[in-house]
Every structure is written in C-alpha cells, then in structure tokens.
Amino acid sequence: AASVAVYDVAGRLVRTLHRGVMESGTHTLEWSGKDSRERAVGCGIYFVRVDAPSVRMSAKLLRLR
C-alpha cells in the first residue's frame, strides 16, 4: 500500500492525499490547500511525503495563497 500526505513544518499531518494501492508509474495528485477538515491552511512551507514499498521520498511545497 502507498501513502501520500502533506505535513506542516512542525511535522504535523495536514492532509492525506492518497492511501491504498497505486500501480507502478507516474501519478498526479492535487492538494486543494485545505486540511483534513476542509479548512484552508495558511501560506507557508509544507512537505509532501510518499511512502510505498519501493519508494520513500519527500518534497517541499510552498503555498502562496
């Protein structure tokens, strides 16, 4: 199973974008800029983390509006 989630700079989970099976290959996921309760989050730096059996990576996001 794979997990794709957004975290704030303090390491708190903001929103899970995907959890479950993903086929190999390229995928596109969009984050609406909202947390798991559908509230808009503030501008700033966030991190997206991908955890899967064959991949573990993170990337920095900058939310501007």
Side-chain angles (χ1 to χ4, degrees):
S3 170
V4 182
V6 177
Y7 294 84
D8 65 14
V9 293
R12 293 179 297 243
L13 177 65
V14 174
R15 185 168 191 132
T16 300
L17 302 178
H18 177 82
R19 183 177 297 143
V21 176
M22 289 182 99
E23 298 296 324
S24 297
T26 302
H27 299 276
T28 301
L29 296 172
E30 290 187 28
W31 177 42
S32 64
K34 296 180 180 179
D35 66 12
S36 58
R37 295 182 180 172
E38 293 297 320
R39 298 176 299 193
V41 300
C43 297
I45 296 173
Y46 294 86
F47 296 90
V48 62
R49 189 167 79 192
V50 177
D51 287 308
S54 61
V55 165
R56 182 166 285 181
M57 64 174 280
S58 62
K60 190 185 300 186
L61 302 174
L62 179 60
R63 176 154 167 73
L64 297 175
R65 49 179 176 142

